[in-house]
Amino acid sequence: MTRAELLADDPLWLILIKVVVVLLIGPLLTVFMIVWERKAIGRLQQRPGPNRVGPGGYFQSIADAIKLPFKEQIIPATADRKVYFLAPMIAVTPALLAFSVMPIGPQVSIFGEQTVLQLVDLPVGVLVVLACASVGVYGIVLAGWSSGSPYPLLGGLRSAAQVISYEIAMGLSIVGVVLYAQSLSTGDIVEAQQNGWFFYLLPFSFVIYLISMVGETNRAPFDLPEAESELVGGFHTEYSSMKFALFFLAEYTNMIVVSAFATTLFLGGWMAPWPISLIGDNYFNSGWWPILWFFGKMFVLLFCFIWLRATLPRFRYDQFMKIGWKVLVPLNLVWIVLIAGLRAIRGESDVTTGQILTYGGIVILVIIGLSFAFDRGRVIEDDDQVPITGGGYPVPPLDLEIPKAPKRKAVRGRNRRRPAAVGAGTDAEKESNDGDL
Amino acid sequence: MGSYLPLFLLFVLAAAFALFSALLGPLVGPRRYNRAKLEAYECGIEPSPQPIVGGGRVPVAYYLTAMLFILFDIEMVFLYPFAVSADALGFFGLVEIVLFISTLGFAYAYVWRRGGLDWN
């Protein structure tokens, strides 16, 4: 039986168990992630991190979670109260929903009932995850807008522009996977990786996915919506108590979801890594073992998030948008055409992959050689200089000039010159004389 | 529609969880308000007089990004059905999708040259 058929005849009690488990994955992992992140960043910065609450400090975020509802909830007088109330819920609900299509394991038996470790295996599973990511943006934008305060508004707008820009790069990087798996169902995509995981069959898609996944979740080094040095707290500046906690939960759940999605799409999902998969007769790829591989791969990716945050400084906004629109999107489109062409050629005629790679390599080398030949003598523009603006809202003018020399000096200079050149000096001359003093 | 039932159940539970959490704060938290607390936070200075909600001005570049997003998002959505049935379509599908991508490529090049992708 296929995965979808096994899932279709689940009894209601089993569906309810799965629903509750999938719902709890997000909050529980968030609680763990927060303390893990704080400890890991502490170690990376040569300090112990939280170490007071519980063994090794690992109960710190549980204490924080209990504390938060007992804090005063402040709604600013300028806020649009209905939207302000709804925004955190709009942010968190789709984030919790997205985990439903992740295939965590193969066929198992739960209390005598044959099923697979997945809530639903929809024929449009990939689209469900993308849709959940898109709807989550509404929560952020509405939170920023409804707070009635400038910093959250700017944070919300930035976040919206960033998330939608990187969603295109992310969506386009998934096209390669769909092309190879010939299916949009997440269960089928994992099963299509039995002969080779997509991260080395589609290395370029994988790299683009990893970059855009960090941009999509508003995490460092792309955490511009909540750039503390510029926007206080970003879109959730005006949120306190449990509503703030909901935004936190949404952010971390989104991280968990994109990591799980990367595992599913590129890292073989629940399948055991290479040397282990050879042991026995697929022993480690059956039963309950795959849960270990799935979450193991996911935690490796989650650690990368923490590592990035500890290592890299924040990007500047224009550089960040430039990478998204001018690098990731066009390269992605070229890559899609390339792999679609390769597949079509292989399907139509009996050309081997080796021949394609040889001829393709020659063509690419010729193009690179030509580009070097024509590149001489070109002036390279300095893209990293401070952007100079006209002082429009909301960016203050950055091309501030040093004020001119005080007037008294200028007058004295002119007085001294007056007997020699009355009415003879031009303005330019006066300027230069002032400078000499 | 049966296969969507678990998704619907999860949605109901997730929304209920979010609603419960959002209502928990005002229920058990303290309420000691004063005027200064309820002002919009602007690092301690007087809040800006202009009303942000409704009448606030928003930089126009964000609208441009949103429109470009729709353009490329639709392109992305059209690429998925092609990718699913690429093997069945063969060379015909490839030619079609290359035409489609290059048509959008012209629009993309135009936007790039007109500075629609610049953030300064």
Side-chain angles (χ1 to χ4, degrees):
Chain A
M1 281 205 280
T2 63
R3 296 179 73 90
E5 280 168 341
L6 277 168
L7 284 167
D9 56 41
D10 275 354
L12 192 63
W13 58 266
L14 190 56
I15 291 175
L16 281 175
I17 289 177
K18 281 186 186 175
V19 164
V20 171
V21 169
V22 167
L23 182 69
L24 286 180
I25 284 176
L28 288 183
L29 282 184
T30 301
V31 164
F32 172 70
M33 266 299 287
I34 291 169
V35 72
W36 186 36
E37 175 170 24
R38 289 179 65 186
K39 297 233 19 133
I41 287 187
R43 302 304 295 191
L44 286 161
Q45 294 170 348
Q46 313 260 333
R47 60 187 172 83
N51 62 354
R52 285 285 172 268
V53 189
Y58 274 98
F59 288 172
Q60 180 66 51
S61 40
I62 296 174
D64 290 341
I66 296 168
K67 175 200 73 178
L68 272 165
F70 295 100
K71 289 288 171 187
E72 186 173 28
Q73 180 189 294
I74 301 162
I75 302 176
T78 44
D80 185 317
R81 295 180 76 93
K82 279 180 204 146
V83 182
Y84 181 90
F85 180 78
L86 276 176
M89 284 153 59
I90 297 173
V92 84
T93 310
L96 292 171
L97 209 55
F99 214 87
S100 57
V101 290
M102 303 296 170
I104 300 170
Q107 189 171 345
V108 291
S109 157
I110 300 175
F111 301 124
E113 188 69 38
Q114 289 294 320
T115 184
V116 285
L117 290 173
Q118 185 178 6
L119 183 60
V120 279
D121 190 16
L122 300 173
V124 290
V126 171
L127 294 181
V128 169
V129 179
L130 285 175
C132 287
S134 312
V135 175
V137 187
Y138 279 97
I140 291 171
V141 177
L142 291 177
W145 177 81
S146 67
S147 294
S149 180
Y151 292 123
L153 180 71
L154 288 175
L157 284 173
R158 270 190 182 192
S159 183
Q162 165 176 347
V163 172
I164 61 178
S165 302
Y166 275 69
E167 204 173 292
I168 292 167
M170 194 175 177
L172 288 176
S173 67
I174 296 169
V175 171
V177 174
V178 178
L179 197 72
Y180 269 59
Q182 295 284 298
S183 170
L184 280 170
S185 136
T186 43
D188 290 351
I189 286 175
V190 171
E191 266 156 29
Q193 297 179 61
Q194 240 148 16
N195 300 320
W197 295 359
F198 288 150
F199 85 93
Y200 68 86
L201 292 177
L202 298 160
F204 208 72
S205 296
F206 183 55
V207 169
I208 290 178
Y209 182 89
L210 286 185
I211 296 171
S212 50
M213 127 181 145
V214 181
E216 176 86 7
T217 47
N218 298 333
R219 290 285 303 182
F222 302 148
D223 57 343
L224 299 138
E226 38 196 291
E228 290 93 348
S229 48
E230 299 162 27
L231 296 174
V232 192
F235 59 89
H236 55 54
T237 305
E238 297 289 359
Y239 279 86
S240 51
S241 181
M242 271 315 264
K243 292 208 181 73
F244 169 74
L246 283 181
F247 279 119
F248 226 74
L249 177 63
E251 183 186 329
Y252 277 80
T253 310
N254 274 329
M255 273 165 64
I256 292 159
V257 164
V258 290
S259 303
F261 203 37
T263 304
T264 305
L265 294 176
F266 295 102
L267 300 177
W270 43 263
M271 287 185 204
W274 170 65
I276 301 170
S277 59
L278 298 176
I279 299 171
D281 187 21
N282 245 352
Y283 171 69
F284 284 106
N285 266 336
S286 55
W288 296 89
W289 279 103
I291 295 182
L292 180 68
W293 314 131
F294 181 83
F295 282 101
K297 291 170 194 172
M298 212 176 90
F299 277 118
V300 170
L301 288 171
L302 285 173
F303 182 73
C304 290
F305 272 111
I306 298 172
W307 194 4
L308 280 175
R309 181 175 160 188
T311 310
L312 295 176
R314 186 176 294 128
F315 262 61
R316 215 173 62 203
Y317 199 69
D318 60 315
Q319 292 172 332
F320 172 72
M321 295 301 271
K322 198 168 138 190
I323 293 175
W325 282 102
K326 294 188 176 173
V327 179
L328 296 184
V329 169
L331 284 182
N332 232 328
L333 289 173
V334 171
W335 171 247
I336 288 168
V337 170
L338 207 69
I339 52 176
L342 277 182
R343 269 188 88 84
I345 290 167
R346 240 181 316 176
E348 294 281 314
S349 55
D350 45 28
V351 190
T352 61
T353 317
Q355 281 172 312
I356 296 171
L357 285 178
T358 314
Y359 291 120
I362 291 169
V363 170
I364 289 170
L365 279 179
V366 168
I367 292 172
I368 291 173
L370 284 177
S371 70
F372 272 114
F374 285 107
D375 205 35
R376 291 220 185 95
R378 229 184 68 195
V379 182
I380 294 164
E381 218 179 305
D382 181 16
D383 283 333
D384 285 334
Q385 62 190 355
V386 176
I388 292 178
T389 65
Y393 179 87
V395 189
L398 290 172
D399 50 346
L400 291 175
E401 287 169 5
I402 298 163
K404 282 184 181 173
K407 221 171 185 175
R408 214 190 305 150
K409 271 188 182 171
V411 170
R412 215 193 297 148
R414 227 174 281 147
N415 286 344
R416 202 186 294 165
R417 275 187 61 89
R418 192 173 286 157
V422 176
T426 61
D427 281 355
E429 254 180 32
K430 277 180 196 164
E431 286 282 330
S432 64
N433 288 335
D434 289 346
D436 287 342
L437 290 169
Chain B
M1 245 24 232
S3 59
Y4 286 84
L5 174 75
L7 201 62
F8 180 71
L9 279 176
L10 182 64
F11 174 74
V12 171
L13 270 185
F17 170 80
L19 187 69
F20 169 75
S21 307
L23 289 175
L24 197 64
L27 273 180
V28 299
R31 294 179 204 194
R32 286 183 289 273
Y33 298 124
N34 59 46
R35 233 185 81 235
K37 259 189 200 174
L38 294 177
E39 272 180 355
Y41 180 77
E42 286 185 30
C43 303
I45 58 167
E46 289 276 310
S48 44
Q50 73 208 42
I52 298 290
V53 174
R57 291 188 296 166
V58 169
V60 76
Y62 290 107
Y63 290 112
L64 192 64
T65 308
M67 286 200 300
L68 288 176
F69 163 70
I70 292 172
L71 181 78
F72 283 95
D73 211 34
I74 290 172
E75 175 177 19
M76 189 181 98
V77 168
F78 278 142
L79 282 175
Y80 281 137
F82 158 74
V84 169
S85 50
D87 282 1
L89 289 171
F91 255 123
F92 168 72
L94 179 69
V95 171
E96 286 288 313
I97 211 68
V98 167
L99 280 178
F100 175 63
I101 289 179
S102 49
T103 312
L104 264 158
F106 282 120
Y108 179 74
Y110 175 76
V111 171
W112 190 326
R113 281 302 299 273
R114 290 299 298 265
L117 306 176
D118 291 334
W119 282 81
N120 275 333

